[in-house]
Amino acid sequence: MKLSARNTLKGTVKKITPGAVNAEVVIQVAGGVEIVSIITMESMKSLGLEVGKEAYAVIKASNVMVGID
């Protein structure tokens, strides 16, 4: 797989919450960190995503917000 995105994190699908149109997919990466994404149900099915399968969280953004308490 070759992508232009610089942030590609390999992990395991921990949870999938399907909806009518979209699914919430939780991918657990190194250190137990969880990344959550909303994708279409069609994309979830075409990727064959299931809990326990390996997947990549691919992050491509022109802006990243930073905050403090």
Side-chain angles (χ1 to χ4, degrees):
M1 172 175 57
K2 290 185 179 184
L3 299 169
S4 62
R6 293 179 182 241
N7 300 304
T8 304
L9 307 170
K10 188 175 184 178
T12 303
V13 177
K14 183 175 180 182
K15 181 179 177 185
I16 298 173
T17 306
V21 177
N22 294 322
E24 181 181 273
V25 180
V26 179
I27 298 176
Q28 186 172 23
V29 298
V33 174
E34 294 181 358
I35 298 176
V36 182
S37 179
I38 304 295
I39 63 173
T40 64
M41 288 294 293
E42 184 175 335
S43 292
M44 186 203 63
K45 291 174 185 175
S46 70
L47 291 169
L49 293 180
E50 296 177 0
V51 172
K53 284 186 81 171
E54 286 188 346
Y56 292 86
V58 181
I59 303 163
K60 181 162 177 121
S62 56
N63 296 301
V64 176
M65 299 175 76
V66 176
I68 61 169
D69 285 328

